[in-house]
Structures are given as C-alpha cells and as structure tokens.
Amino acid sequence: MNKYTNSFHERANAMADSLILEHYSLSELNFETVSHYRERFARVKPDHPWNGLETKEFLYKIGAWGKLRDSSKEGLTLAGLLMFSEERIITEVLPQYFLEYREHADGEAAGWTKRFTSQDGTWSGNIYDFYFRVLAELERHVWSDEGRALLGEALVNALVHADYGEEGGITVEKEDGSFCFANPGRFRIPIEAAMAGHTSNLRNPNIFKMFLLIDVCKRAGSGLKRMHDMQGQALACPIDISQQTNPDRTIVVLCPLRFPAETSETIETELDERLQQTELEWKDSDNRQETESFVTNELSFVNIDANPVNNEENSVNIAKNSVNNGSDSIKNESDSVNRTSNFINKELRFVNSLHSSVNNDTSMHDSNEKGETIDERLWKMAELARRKKRLAPAVMEQLIVRLCRERPLRLKELAELLERTPDGLRNNYLGKLLEEGKIRLKYPDQPNHPRQAYIAVDE
C-alpha cells in the first residue's frame, strides 16, 4: 500500500476524496472525459461563469484540482483522479479500484450475456464514464421514467458512497428482472436515518459535488429517501438494502416494473375496469340462468296443465264404477291420505336435497384442497396479476383486498389465483394488510388453524 493509500485510510473519517496528489498533473487525465463533462455542465448551466474558465481553473472550482496553502504545490485531488483519469493511473493510487457491469439474460441457465470492467482497455475505466455506460445499459431494460430515475439514483449512490480504498470494487448486476448495486464500504449513519433524508455523512463529497453540478443527483442525503419515495410507482417489491463486513460492503437490490410506462395509477384504472367487466359478466350469467330456469318452469307448468284433460277422460270411467266401488271408498280415502303424505315427504326430500346442494356448493367454493376448481369469478378478477408479473405494491394490495371481500381465501388459494409464491404473498403483502386492518383472519385466535383464511374488513 503506497503513501497515497495510507493517507486515504488515515483520512477515512474526513474528506478523503479531497486528498491532493502532488505528482499527478493534468496530463494524467482523459481529456475526452473532461470534455464530455464540460459539455454537459454547459447544457445544464448555460449561463454559468465557470463555462469561460481554463481547464485547470474549472477543475479547481468543481473540486478535481487542489492547491496546498502552505506551499506552492498543487495537483489532482483523489476525486479528480477517480472521475477523469484512466484505470491504469487510478490503480497506482488505489490498487483495489475496480468497476464491473454484468448482465444475465432472463431464463438463461448460465453465463453472462454482457459484461465490461474498468480493466478491459476498451474505455477509460473512470467512474464518470462508468456511470453513463452503465446507465445506458440499465435504461434498455426499464420502460417507465420512474424506473429509469430509480436505477440512476441507485447507481450514483454506489459511486458517491463507495470506499475506494477497500476491496471488492463496485459491481452492477442485472439478473432475472432485478438489479444489484454493490459498493465497498458501509453506511456511515444508520440506514433508517439515511432513508429519512434528514442527515448526510458523505464519504466522497467532491465526487458528489461533481455529479450534483451536472444534475445527475440531488442534494446531499436525499438519495435513499428519493429512492424510497419512488419505489411505490417504480418497483415491483420494496428496496432491499444489506451490509456486509470483512470486507465492508453495501448491497442494494431493486426490482423495477417491467411493463411500458405504466404507473400504479394506470394499472389501478385497468384493475377497476377489469373488475367491473367481471361483475357485469357475472350478473349477465346469473340473469341467463334465471331466464333459463323460468322457461323450464313454464314448460313444466304446460305439461302439468295438459294432464287434467287425460284425467277428465278417466273420471268418466271412474264414475261408472263408483257404485261398485262404494264399498272401497273408505279404503280409497285412506289411500288418498297416504298419497298426500307421500307427496309431502317427497317435497321435503326435494327441499333437503336442495339445501344439501347449496351446502355442497359452498363447500366447493370454500375449499381447494381436494382438487376443486377455484371460483370462476375470483379467477377472472385476478387475471391482471397473472398477466402482469410485476405489479406495483399498492395495486397488488388493492386486488388482494377485493378478492378477500368476495369470500374468505386461504393462502394457498390466493397464491394460485395471483400466481405468486405463498411466502412472497405472506411476507410482502398479507402481513402489512393485517397490520393496517384492511383484512383479518378467519380464525384470529388460532393463527395456525388448518383452514385459516383471510377476510376483507368492510370500510
């Protein structure tokens, strides 16, 4: 470890990236990168007085060049080296320095479909060029403006907060719809405080300033909060932030929505339309069944009405025999009572059979353990979730509540309806909805009841 690396670690709790590298001059810079930065600065701030400055003075203003007040010595700052130099020169000062982007195609068994690093020699290898190269790759995979903004925020946060003297380097990885941003170093304040955006403790304030001046990021301390605020519209699931030790490392995983420019509001509208369509289809089906039942009953009535004609003809023959059958009249009366009794019993059996049918139907809808099909109505209602594998959390929560309002639903049924894993539903949605009082348990005193189900709470 050379003297600059030692100085870097000695000043780890100060402004490390302001360290002046006495023997590193303007000749160590990649001037294509510097030119690109100045062009962007001029577009963002066309009337700024720094646009007319010479290169060295401009770099001094933005924090890329430094001067030692107690001597006449000057040179690149560590921030200027990282932003505008080249990989071979940067690693002279920071041997652990490494940048990598890798991409794995969805559904592929193995192997990276795209990969580039700061060491491959096809580009400068500095963090400024890395930002724009990676951003261009990320934006190919996300169609919504919110998703693009969120990925850009995560990328610049990794670059600004990295400890470039630690091992591991910065890696950005795209795989199966998720994006992982990993950088050396841990948060210098609690994650909760960083998410709230009330405080900031920047590891690389000069690098941050350079990105801020070209509108790549916003004010200090707002990065994680902005990411958290955007996640409802841009992410399919919450931001996952973890920290490791030996070596220290911060890892942020995002899963942006993958369908074209659809915010939760537009999806919610589609959800409402789909549910209304299902409601109309279901009512129409009920009306058809009622009409068919009415026609059947009318036909039955005609058949019944036709029988009296035949009965009238038989009555003449019965009358002829009435004298002879007089002695049997008492017996016939008795038979009549028995027949009436039998008729009543048959009616009772029919009613009981009907009740049994209703009960069996209810059982069918309340259970799916024995292979019964899930209610057609619920299946249609949940179609949006099955069709769109990435739904905004707010939309998924609304859909779950609406499904549970139709009838109590068990975890297994919800998983089948929505085509989501039971653990994912339980961890990401159901627990939250229970806490907010939007749904309740069917057996609240027995959480592990074998037929536990979720019921929507009426508002």
Side-chain angles (χ1 to χ4, degrees):
M1 189 178 288
N2 61 35
K3 68 175 183 177
Y4 292 120
T5 306
N6 284 328
S7 298
F8 185 89
H9 283 288
E10 287 170 5
R11 303 178 62 180
N13 293 321
M15 292 187 293
D17 70 345
S18 66
L19 176 67
I20 298 173
L21 309 173
E22 298 176 34
H23 304 291
Y24 287 77
S25 65
L26 295 182
S27 63
E28 318 294 347
L29 301 181
N30 182 298
F31 277 91
E32 287 186 11
T33 304
V34 175
S35 177
H36 186 279
Y37 182 93
R38 294 202 67 170
E39 288 173 2
R40 184 177 177 91
F41 181 91
R43 287 198 305 272
V44 172
K45 296 174 168 46
D47 300 322
H48 201 286
W50 294 356
N51 286 319
L53 298 176
E54 295 292 332
T55 299
K56 182 186 289 187
E57 194 62 23
F58 178 82
L59 294 175
Y60 175 75
K61 293 291 188 182
I62 67 173
W65 186 264
K67 300 175 182 179
L68 294 173
R69 294 298 179 187
D70 56 354
S71 70
S72 59
K73 295 180 180 179
E74 54 187 291
L76 288 174
T77 63
L78 192 64
L81 187 81
L82 288 164
M83 284 285 284
F84 302 120
S85 189
E86 296 186 353
E87 185 270 341
R88 182 65 185 87
I89 300 171
I90 295 171
T91 54
E92 291 178 4
V93 179
L94 298 169
Q96 309 297 338
Y97 175 83
F98 181 70
L99 307 175
E100 179 181 23
Y101 173 81
R102 56 197 187 206
E103 183 177 310
H104 193 293
D106 293 351
E108 293 289 331
W112 304 107
T113 58
K114 182 180 288 290
R115 181 177 184 264
F116 59 83
T117 75
S118 54
Q119 297 177 343
D120 62 32
T122 60
W123 58 292
S124 67
N126 60 51
I127 64 174
Y128 178 83
D129 289 341
F130 182 73
Y131 171 83
F132 285 101
R133 282 176 65 93
V134 172
L135 188 65
E137 297 296 337
L138 297 178
E139 289 182 340
R140 290 192 303 108
H141 302 288
V142 181
W143 296 336
S144 71
D145 292 338
E146 293 87 354
R148 291 192 183 102
L150 196 60
L151 292 176
E153 194 77 44
L155 176 58
V156 77
N157 266 274
L159 296 171
V160 165
H161 294 292
D163 183 346
Y164 291 96
E166 285 286 350
E167 297 180 1
I170 295 175
T171 61
V172 179
E173 181 176 341
K174 184 266 177 186
E175 184 173 9
D176 291 335
S178 68
F179 297 82
C180 177
F181 302 83
N183 63 267
R186 293 163 57 88
F187 283 108
R188 304 173 84 180
I189 59 175
I191 292 179
E192 295 76 14
M195 295 294 271
H198 299 314
T199 59
S200 63
N201 191 343
L202 291 170
R203 180 174 276 114
N204 300 294
N206 285 288
I207 293 175
F208 172 79
K209 176 183 177 181
M210 292 179 210
F211 279 122
L212 180 67
L213 288 169
I214 57 173
D215 280 0
V216 164
C217 57
K218 302 300 179 183
R219 65 180 179 82
S222 68
L224 283 179
K225 185 179 187 301
R226 274 165 40 85
M227 290 167 63
H228 181 267
D229 292 344
M230 285 190 289
Q231 73 177 18
Q233 291 185 328
L235 291 181
C237 53
I239 298 171
D240 182 11
I241 302 176
S242 60
Q243 299 191 82
Q244 300 176 354
T245 56
N246 297 321
D248 288 351
R249 199 159 182 78
T250 299
I251 301 170
V252 177
V253 179
L254 306 177
C255 297
L257 298 173
R258 300 174 67 187
F259 33 87
E262 289 179 349
T263 63
S264 60
E265 182 178 352
T266 59
I267 302 172
E268 206 164 326
T269 300
E270 182 176 352
L271 174 61
D272 285 332
E273 291 174 351
R274 180 62 195 165
L275 292 178
Q276 289 173 7
Q277 180 183 351
T278 303
E279 187 76 24
L280 291 174
E281 290 174 355
W282 198 258
K283 287 181 178 178
D284 185 55
S285 175
D286 285 344
N287 290 336
R288 284 199 304 271
Q289 290 176 4
E290 289 176 6
T291 301
E292 290 169 0
S293 176
F294 174 78
V295 172
T296 301
N297 289 337
E298 283 293 302
L299 290 172
S300 297
F301 176 78
V302 171
N303 291 332
I304 292 170
D305 195 49
N307 287 333
V309 177
N310 297 327
N311 290 338
E312 284 294 336
E313 293 175 356
N314 292 334
S315 66
V316 175
N317 295 327
I318 293 171
K320 290 179 180 179
N321 296 325
S322 61
V323 176
N324 296 329
N325 293 337
S327 60
D328 297 326
S329 61
I330 298 175
K331 182 178 179 180
N332 289 339
E333 284 291 328
S334 176
D335 290 341
S336 176
V337 172
N338 291 333
R339 284 194 298 270
T340 302
S341 177
N342 288 337
F343 175 79
I344 293 173
N345 288 334
K346 288 179 180 180
E347 286 294 306
L348 288 173
R349 283 196 298 272
F350 174 77
V351 172
N352 290 334
S353 175
L354 182 61
H355 280 302
S356 176
S357 175
V358 172
N359 291 334
N360 289 337
D361 187 62
T362 302
S363 176
M364 180 190 72
H365 286 279
D366 193 49
S367 175
N368 196 37
E369 291 179 347
K370 298 180 181 180
E372 295 90 347
T373 58
I374 291 181
D375 190 297
E376 182 182 358
R377 175 182 173 83
L378 296 174
W379 188 255
K380 289 182 179 180
M381 289 173 66
E383 180 184 345
L384 183 66
R386 296 192 303 276
R387 182 158 47 86
K388 297 183 183 298
K389 295 303 181 184
R390 301 289 182 182
L391 277 182
V395 177
M396 178 63 87
E397 290 170 10
Q398 181 186 3
L399 181 53
I400 290 172
V401 171
R402 293 193 182 190
L403 289 170
C404 293
R405 185 169 289 126
E406 294 297 314
R407 68 176 178 85
L409 290 170
R410 282 171 292 162
L411 180 59
K412 180 181 178 181
E413 292 176 313
L414 282 169
E416 184 175 347
L417 283 166
L418 301 167
E419 286 189 1
R420 300 295 193 273
T421 63
D423 287 343
L425 287 175
R426 185 190 297 110
N427 297 333
N428 296 328
Y429 303 106
L430 297 176
K432 180 174 181 288
L433 291 172
L434 285 169
E435 289 180 4
E436 294 175 350
K438 294 180 179 178
I439 60 174
R440 63 180 176 84
L441 295 176
K442 184 176 181 180
Y443 305 99
D445 298 330
Q446 303 177 61
N448 297 320
H449 193 285
R451 295 182 60 79
Q452 186 62 270
Y454 299 91
I455 303 172
V457 175
D458 293 333
E459 298 177 357

